[in-house]
Structures are given as structure tokens and as C-alpha cells.
Amino acid sequence: MSERLGFEQLAFKAKELDGGDELACKRAQFLLDDGVYLDGNSLGALPRSVPGHVEDVVRRQWGALRIRSWDESGWWTAPERIGDLIAPLVGAAAGQIVVGDSTSVNVFKALVGAVRLVDGGRDEILVDATTFPTDGYIAESAARLTGHTLRPVTPGEVPAALSERTAAVLLNHVDYRTGRLHDLPSLTAAVHAAGAIAVWDLCHSAGALPVGLDEHGVDLAVGCTYKYLNGGPGSPAYLYVRRGLQDRFDSPLPGWNSHAEPFGMRDTYEPASGARRGRVGTPDILSMLALEAALEVWDGVPVEAVRAKSLALTDFFLECVAAYVPEGRVESLTPPRHEERGSQVALRCEDAGEVMARLIGRGIVGDFRRPDVLRFGFTPLYVGFADVERAARVLAEELR
């Protein structure tokens, strides 16, 4: 088969796949250019509803109503209200997620809170050895502050590493480098069988695939909102506390916002009930309400449909790469099995940094992770199959 015929066949297949895409209509709800944006696993695209909503927040809610907006515009209840919007996207019932602070701050709250939930005598914390650096830094600090030993292990090593010493385990649902999806149900069950607390980082899975926090009995979870949830740069993160643990969750950051009587200005701290225990200080209203507007694109979208398209997109990208790219030029680090794959494809490439710079110059936006990884994130709400075919074709041209 000639090279041109191969291009034509895959381009035709892309057109057919786009024609049957039930999520294709969602693309119009985002502000996009003529390029191919495959970096939603770092920063999601801008939903069209956000600018107007933010203008209203600034001009009317802040500009005209001013202090009255804490009540009249619902500012005070935003962290829990927006948490309830995120809840169905991660398989949680309402009342268990609070939005606010950064992922790093929420990892700290969750991990120290997890240690405080277990009986005494457990002196070890397990952390994903392949984790995003911040989670490792926070885990090391939490271990020092609580007098625990920190033990880095890979997710696959967790079952064998668990013991009566284990207090808590911090794991990533999807590996940020490779896109590998870890087995949340079985690992959570193993952690519980050992009598420990399971803490999950959902930064690279929320909004891309079903998580099932309630179904699988996850204790605590954190995640960012600026990737697949499209909340904008620096948008606030969230903290999930399973309902059955909420009355015992002891946050290491007991701010006035999480007080049972926040305006009582009391000298002693009494934690609020429910998800509010995860709050600390005054919420970042501008970013938070931009996130609330961004989440409107999820109206009527089943996460299962997003997952199905995500797998189809990544399958098709790998097919096009195999057909177009010269043999031996790249190596996929992303698992081929669906049950082990998130919503990104990572390709090892000898001169990855230079290649990605050239791709971006031609309108194919992914990112580069040192020393040799090209990352391509596939956000099913706005990435189509023609985008995928075009990206693989331009990649092949740059690698010849």
C-alpha cells in the first residue's frame, strides 16, 4: 500500500468516526482556533460561557453588590455547591466534596487527616514512587510532621508492601508521565484489608474516565480542576472526604471557614459538619466562579461516553502513529490495554524537546517531559478524530 493511500484511508476513517461521535456537538462550546490542541491534560480549553460569567462576577456581583454578594450571589456556599457539580464526574454523592485551595494544600490536608484517622501504632506512610513531584514533597513533609516513616513504592508493589505498620497510602489514579491507569478498586480494597486509609490523586483522571469514589469505598481524594475539567489556569482544587469519615476527619489546617460557627470568632476551634471540614480560609471567588461556569459544559454528558470516546481517540492516534511514523523513531510508553490507559499517549522520542517545539510551531500543541517524552492529551469534549489523524501526520513529517 502506498504512503498516500495510507493517508487517504486513515483520513476517511477519521471522517467516519467524527460522523458517529455523539460528543462532537460539545466542541462548539469551547473557544478554539484552527490548530489541534492536545494539551488538555495540562490546561483545558476555555469554555465559551466563562468570559461572560466572569464579567458578571466582576462588574455586578463585586462591582455593584460588593459585600452583599457573599449572601445574595451565593459566594459563601460556592465551595460546597461547586463540589456537588464535580461529584458525579468522580462517582460521588453530593455533600462529600469541597472546592478550594490548591492540589498541594489538599494533598497535605488529606494525608495528615488520613494518618489521624487510624489507630495508634501505625507509623508508616506509603507513597507512589512514580508520583508527580509535589505529591512526594508533601508526603515527605507530612511524614516528618506526624512522626511517620515515608516509604516510596510503585503502585504495583503496594499490596506486598502493606503491613500492620501502614497508616495511609497516597496514590495517583493516572501516571502523569506515561498515562498509565492504575487499578483503583483493587488497590483501595488491598489498603482497606490492611487496615489503612486510601488517598487518591485524581488530577489526570477526573473528567476523562469514570472514577467511582463511592462505589469503591475510597476514603479521601484530591484533584485539580484546570485539566479535563477546564476550570482555567490556577482554578481551585477539591477535596473528597467519604461521608462515613466526615465526623472523624481532623484537618491539619483548621481555618475559620471550616469552623462550626465561622462568624462567632471564638477562641477555640470546633469543626463544621460534612464536607465543610475541608475548608480553610476565604475562598478565591473569581477563580471559583469561573470554574462553576466552566462546568456547565458537562450538562447531560455521561462520563461513560467520555471514556468510550477517549479510548477510541487514543486507539486511533496509536494506529495513525504506527502507520505514519518511521519505524523505530518513537516508542509508546502508554499501555495498549484499555484497562491500563488514561486519556493521554506518551511517546518516547530521542529529540523530544525539539520535536515538540516544531509541532507547536505547526499548530499541533502537546507538551514535552524531560528527558525524552512527547505527551499528547485527548479531551473528548473538544478533540475530534480528524484532529488525531492530522496530529499523527504532522508528527510523522517532523520525524522524517
Side-chain angles (χ1 to χ4, degrees):
M1 181 175 64
S2 71
E3 184 177 274
R4 180 170 179 78
L5 182 59
F7 287 158
E8 290 176 349
Q9 287 185 343
L10 287 171
F12 180 75
K13 181 176 181 179
K15 185 176 181 179
E16 284 192 317
L17 289 169
D18 278 329
D21 177 14
E22 64 180 293
L23 296 178
C25 59
K26 286 292 174 178
R27 184 184 180 100
Q29 296 184 33
F30 292 87
L31 285 168
L32 296 162
D33 54 27
D34 294 332
V36 177
Y37 189 66
L38 300 180
D39 211 5
N41 53 326
S42 285
L43 177 65
L46 173 64
R48 290 182 181 274
S49 61
V50 173
H53 187 75
V54 171
E55 183 177 12
D56 178 72
V57 172
V58 172
R59 293 187 180 278
R60 183 183 65 85
Q61 296 182 31
W62 178 16
L65 296 178
R66 294 179 288 274
I67 196 71
R68 293 161 52 194
S69 275
W70 285 105
D71 292 322
E72 295 180 28
S73 301
W75 288 1
W76 183 258
T77 57
E80 294 78 39
R81 182 177 71 245
I82 301 170
D84 285 346
L85 295 177
I86 294 172
L89 303 179
V90 293
Q96 299 175 98
I97 293 179
V98 64
V99 173
D101 305 310
S102 67
T103 306
S104 302
V105 171
N106 283 315
V107 168
F108 178 77
K109 286 186 283 187
L111 197 51
V112 175
V115 168
R116 292 176 174 180
L117 283 168
V118 299
D119 297 330
R122 292 179 176 267
D123 62 354
E124 187 174 76
I125 297 171
L126 302 184
V127 65
D128 184 345
T130 61
T131 189
F132 188 77
T134 282
D135 286 22
Y137 305 155
I138 296 292
E140 195 277 332
S141 179
R144 282 190 289 116
L145 286 168
T146 59
H148 285 63
T149 299
L150 185 68
R151 185 179 173 192
V153 294
T154 66
E157 294 170 336
V158 165
L162 292 163
S163 73
E164 67 281 354
R165 293 183 56 193
T166 310
V169 183
L170 173 61
L171 293 166
N172 287 264
H173 196 192
V174 174
D175 186 285
Y176 80 100
R177 288 188 190 88
T178 66
R180 176 179 290 275
L181 173 66
H182 298 301
D183 191 344
L184 181 146
S186 68
L187 287 171
T188 300
V191 171
H192 288 167
I197 299 293
V199 183
W200 284 90
D201 182 329
L202 309 179
C203 284
H204 286 268
S205 57
L209 53 93
V211 178
L213 292 179
D214 287 354
E215 177 185 357
H216 303 302
V218 170
D219 301 306
L220 301 160
V222 303
C224 66
T225 61
Y226 48 79
K227 299 182 190 297
Y228 297 109
L229 298 183
N230 311 296
S235 57
Y238 57 90
L239 171 67
Y240 164 89
V241 182
R242 180 161 56 85
R243 195 180 308 281
L245 298 177
Q246 288 177 355
D247 63 345
R248 295 193 294 123
F249 179 70
D250 182 8
S251 174
L253 297 174
W256 77 286
N257 260 233
S258 63
H259 197 286
E261 195 178 345
F263 293 98
M265 304 303 166
R266 304 197 180 281
D267 294 335
T268 56
Y269 179 74
E270 180 185 346
S273 59
R276 270 184 53 204
R277 286 195 179 202
R279 293 176 66 158
V280 184
T282 304
D284 185 342
I285 290 298
L286 297 184
S287 291
M288 191 167 291
L289 297 188
L291 167 63
E292 184 174 30
L295 291 171
E296 292 176 5
V297 300
W298 288 94
D299 290 348
V301 177
V303 177
E304 292 74 18
V306 171
R307 176 58 169 166
K309 183 177 176 183
S310 164
L311 290 172
L313 287 168
T314 50
D315 277 345
F316 188 54
F317 182 68
L318 288 169
E319 179 184 357
C320 290
V321 168
Y324 294 169
V325 173
E327 187 175 354
R329 193 65 176 84
V330 298
E331 172 195 0
S332 176
L333 302 178
T334 301
R337 297 176 62 198
H338 285 181
E339 59 268 34
E340 296 179 352
R341 187 194 309 166
S343 198
Q344 75 177 48
V345 172
L347 302 177
R348 177 172 284 145
C349 177
E350 185 176 328
D351 46 353
E354 296 175 5
V355 170
M356 183 55 69
R358 296 199 301 271
L359 288 176
I360 292 172
R362 295 185 61 182
I364 310 298
V365 180
D367 66 17
F368 159 62
R369 286 292 177 266
R370 289 182 172 83
D372 58 1
V373 176
L374 300 169
R375 286 198 324 172
F376 301 94
F378 298 84
T379 303
L381 295 186
Y382 55 77
V383 173
F385 293 91
D387 296 324
V388 167
E389 190 275 334
R390 177 182 165 193
R393 181 163 27 90
V394 174
L395 173 64
E397 291 169 1
E398 291 300 328
L399 291 178
R400 280 193 170 86

